[in-house]
Amino acid sequence: MEEDCFATQLIYGDGQFNRDGLECLIKKVNLADYGLSYAVVAIVGPQSSGKSTLLNHLFETNFREMDAYRGRSQTTKGIWIAKCIGIEPCTIALDLEGTDSGERGEDDTTFEKQSALFALAISDIVLINMWCHDIGREQAANKPLLKTVFQVMMRLFSPRKTTLLFVIRDKTKTPFEFLEPILREDIQKIWHAVPKPHGHENTHLSEFFNVEVVALSSYEEKEEKFKEEVAHNLRCHLLCLTVAQLRQRFMHSISPGGLAGDRRGVVSASGFSFSAQQIWKDIKENKDLDLPAHKVMVATFRCEEIAGEKLAQLTLDEGWLALEKAVESGPIPGFGKKLSSILERYLSEYDSETIYFDEGVRNVKRKQLESKALDFLHPAYITMVGHLHSKALENFKTGVENWLEEGEGFAALVRACKEYCILEFDQGCADAFVQLAGWDASKIKEKLQRDIDAHASSFCSAKLSDLIVNYERQLSTALTEPLESLLESGERDTWTSIRKLLKRETEAALLEFLSAVAGFELDKADITAMEQKIRDYARNVVERKAREEAGKVLIRMKNRFSMVFNYGCDSIPRVWTAGKEDIKTITKEARSASLKLLSVIAAIRLDEKPDKIEKILFSSLMDGTTAPLASTTWEEVPSKDTLLTPVRCKSLWKQFKAETENNVTRALSYQKACRRKNNWVPPMWAIVAMIVLGFSELMLQLRNLDGEFRNGTVAAILSVSSRFLPTVLKIPRPPPGLPPAPQAPQQLHSVVSQSFGNQTPQPNPMPNFISESSVSSSNISSDCNEYS
């Protein structure tokens, strides 16, 4: 398939830029792939001077040529562009509209200047097509053209050095050696006459241009011969020889020593379209062209465009999308290498596509691309490091719990486990590290350390709390029953015994506790605080139990009264026989014992401070020697240690006496009834009657005794007994109201239990007098009086 030049119009005759046409040509010839390895050739010259024909034969393009048989008129309008065929490197040809055209008019030279400036700005080589017979003439057609070229050249700020190739057409018989000096002299005259910008007044033409001159014979007079010789590459005529040689000079034109200029202002092929558009836009707006600045502008635009393309491609990369999805579920081995590979691939593509643009610009834009790409990828890295954080923290929690069961010291265990988990986190971060990014995971590491320390502290607090609760439970168990027994006894040394018990059990528990927490490596202040907490708890157990007993003090007092009143010192139940027991004294002893119990329970005495509670209670409630209790506080006893206020004690004592008074009354009544029974004898008439009736009956039975024994001895005994029994039954019995004989201690125990069934069972149950009599004192008195 033959190569196509893809010719298209670049700028229309009205000055409009054909952007779409240029983009289409660039895509068809793949110009963007050539980087800086391309050249641009433009041709300027008078109208109908054979510019298009020359380009077509030099570069095998297909620009429209003038038909001489139809008259000489404007053929090319605006600027056309095409790819040169068979030229290396890739070369683009620009065919400009001819100058001095009748269609534009004498005064309309604006487009000529604009197109000439455009050609100088974007071209490496500018062909200036001239008629041979105009050389040496003062008013020839080449003079206005050269003036235009040199004038517009001054508008290029810091212009690059462009090659001006003067092509002398229709060479005459005048030798070329004479034509070239004349032309160069004319060029110098025109250059000196052109106004120059400040700083370039004495600048030589050679600093702006490489000037080359070639001459060609008439194409019209030898057209057929020309075509044939060009086709067979013969060197028989000057024109054929010159065209072939001239074409050869365009081969490798951009190589060192080639036909092209210094190419300082050349832009990368991928930015050619944008550069051409911006240059033409500035020319149309009559702006001076700052080519270095324009080069930077083109580089900025193209580098930004390429960077945007690479960033967009990165966001849709399949490898990246798969990695992003996978990291959501958990840590990915080799995460850093995978992410770095994806990122570096697109940055490398950016570098290769922008290599021919301004270095400063492309580096700046690369950093911007890199920054945006890293910002886009960073959330995935944060997710990855977050997984590492969670995994390390979870491993620490599990490790501490598992290793703690092996009995190691808590503090040493925490340090070892923390070091292991932090090391594991660091290794994971190293695996996830992206070299290009240099992301720092130190903040997440610091957070991990804080989380580990917080969990260790919480776990330590929980373990210590469990230990404290455990020893508090032991203390509660060790104190409760002994306390209950001591408080129930209500002896004078009760609180002394309680203090000894509290100190002994507390010190024993603390000794075990300090041994258990040695592995926690706690501060002295913390240990002291926990010791105090255990001591406070033990004290609270005593106080709580004392308050509980204070709530049951009335029951305890009644039990104490029953024990002392109903039992002797040898724990034998009292039998209320006539005159043997001093009930008044016994009652006083029982009440004193109960009042002593009340004085013990009235206040908490753990601080070994003396008080007068017992003395006050006895003097007020037993002896009545002091004023009645009317205060709500005890002297020398803090309110927090008060269990029963004086007023409350007075109320309890009053209720106690009321509930136990009946026991004393019944005991007195029983004793009185027993005395009556012991002193009772039958009346005199009853004694006489029994003697008389008994003697007569006895004599009668003795007379009949012989007759009874005749029937046998057994029959005689039965008969006599049957006769004596009714007589014996007629003997008077004691009054029915007298109580039976005293029961044994075992029987009394069951009766007392029934009597106080609503009270708390005691270790040594004491009988209650209420159970010893089933009748009231009033009933006993009435029965005895009735019998009398």
Side-chain angles (χ1 to χ4, degrees), residues 61-112:
T61 54
N62 58 0
F63 293 120
R64 182 184 175 191
E65 300 177 10
M66 182 190 71
D67 187 353
Y69 295 102
R70 300 182 62 178
R72 308 186 71 82
S73 61
Q74 187 181 50
T75 303
T76 302
K77 295 182 179 181
I79 301 175
W80 285 72
I81 186 171
K83 180 180 182 296
C84 301
I85 305 300
I87 301 295
E88 292 293 337
C90 178
T91 302
I92 301 297
L94 298 179
D95 188 10
L96 276 66
E97 177 182 317
T99 60
D100 195 23
S101 65
E103 286 78 5
R104 290 283 181 183
E106 183 178 354
D107 298 327
D108 190 5
T109 60
T110 301
F111 186 81
E112 293 179 7

Side-chain angles (χ1 to χ4, degrees), residues 3 28 36 67 72 118 323 365 376 631 641 657 681 697:
E3 189 176 358
K28 289 181 177 179
L36 298 180
D67 187 353
R72 308 186 71 82
F118 179 75
L323 186 63
K365 297 306 175 182
F376 175 74
S631 176
D641 292 336
K657 288 186 67 176
V681 291
E697 187 67 21

Side-chain angles (χ1 to χ4, degrees), residues 287-408:
K287 296 179 180 179
D288 289 339
L289 292 181
D290 186 348
L291 290 185
H294 174 77
K295 178 182 178 182
V296 171
M297 179 188 66
V298 174
T300 301
F301 172 79
R302 279 299 297 150
C303 289
E304 285 182 352
E305 190 174 47
I306 294 171
E309 293 173 358
K310 298 309 167 186
L311 184 62
Q313 292 171 7
L314 171 62
T315 59
L316 300 177
D317 185 85
E318 293 182 357
W320 153 248
L321 294 176
L323 186 63
E324 182 185 33
K325 183 177 181 180
V327 80
E328 293 292 335
S329 303
I332 305 298
F335 177 85
K337 292 182 178 179
K338 294 177 181 178
L339 195 61
S340 297
S341 176
I342 295 172
L343 177 62
E344 289 173 358
R345 182 169 73 251
Y346 287 99
L347 291 177
S348 297
E349 291 179 4
Y350 168 86
D351 291 338
S352 63
E353 294 183 24
T354 60
I355 190 172
Y356 299 113
F357 289 106
D358 181 83
E359 182 179 3
V361 174
R362 74 169 183 261
N363 289 339
V364 170
K365 297 306 175 182
R366 189 186 195 278
K367 289 185 179 297
Q368 293 178 358
L369 169 61
E370 185 178 307
S371 176
K372 291 180 180 179
L374 292 176
D375 289 342
F376 175 74
L377 300 174
H378 189 251
Y381 174 79
I382 293 298
T383 302
M384 175 67 185
V385 178
H387 288 313
L388 296 176
H389 168 277
S390 300
K391 181 181 178 182
L393 181 59
E394 189 62 30
N395 288 345
F396 175 79
K397 294 178 180 179
T398 305
V400 168
E401 293 179 0
N402 292 340
W403 293 354
L404 193 61
E405 295 177 357
E406 299 177 3
E408 296 186 18

Side-chain angles (χ1 to χ4, degrees), residues 334-533:
F335 177 85
K337 292 182 178 179
K338 294 177 181 178
L339 195 61
S340 297
S341 176
I342 295 172
L343 177 62
E344 289 173 358
R345 182 169 73 251
Y346 287 99
L347 291 177
S348 297
E349 291 179 4
Y350 168 86
D351 291 338
S352 63
E353 294 183 24
T354 60
I355 190 172
Y356 299 113
F357 289 106
D358 181 83
E359 182 179 3
V361 174
R362 74 169 183 261
N363 289 339
V364 170
K365 297 306 175 182
R366 189 186 195 278
K367 289 185 179 297
Q368 293 178 358
L369 169 61
E370 185 178 307
S371 176
K372 291 180 180 179
L374 292 176
D375 289 342
F376 175 74
L377 300 174
H378 189 251
Y381 174 79
I382 293 298
T383 302
M384 175 67 185
V385 178
H387 288 313
L388 296 176
H389 168 277
S390 300
K391 181 181 178 182
L393 181 59
E394 189 62 30
N395 288 345
F396 175 79
K397 294 178 180 179
T398 305
V400 168
E401 293 179 0
N402 292 340
W403 293 354
L404 193 61
E405 295 177 357
E406 299 177 3
E408 296 186 18
F410 181 83
L413 165 65
V414 168
R415 283 195 297 269
C417 193
K418 180 179 179 180
E419 291 176 1
Y420 173 79
C421 293
I422 293 296
L423 178 61
E424 182 183 39
F425 176 81
D426 289 339
Q427 291 174 348
C429 289
D431 182 67
F433 182 70
V434 178
Q435 184 67 37
L436 187 61
W439 288 321
D440 185 10
S442 59
K443 291 185 177 179
I444 299 180
K445 181 178 179 179
E446 292 174 0
K447 183 179 183 301
L448 173 62
Q449 292 174 331
R450 292 194 301 270
D451 292 343
I452 287 177
D453 291 341
H455 179 75
S457 177
S458 176
F459 191 72
C460 176
S461 299
K463 288 298 179 183
L464 290 174
S465 179
D466 290 343
L467 282 174
I468 292 174
V469 169
N470 186 34
Y471 284 100
E472 287 177 347
R473 188 181 298 112
Q474 292 182 20
L475 272 173
S476 179
T477 302
L479 291 173
T480 299
E481 290 187 2
L483 282 173
E484 186 174 353
S485 177
L486 289 171
L487 291 171
E488 183 182 356
S489 67
E491 301 298 334
R492 191 178 300 276
D493 62 345
T494 292
W495 282 104
T496 301
S497 300
I498 289 176
R499 286 193 293 269
K500 291 180 180 179
L501 171 68
L502 176 62
K503 181 179 180 180
R504 182 179 68 251
E505 296 298 336
T506 302
E507 294 301 327
L510 284 175
L511 186 61
E512 294 182 15
F513 175 77
L514 292 177
S515 176
V517 299
F520 286 83
E521 299 179 9
L522 300 174
D523 295 337
K524 186 175 180 180
D526 294 335
I527 294 177
T528 302
M530 285 186 284
E531 286 182 357
Q532 189 60 44
K533 183 177 180 181

Side-chain angles (χ1 to χ4, degrees), residues 49 116 282 401 441 576 756:
S49 61
D282 290 343
E401 293 179 0
W576 305 111
F756 285 90

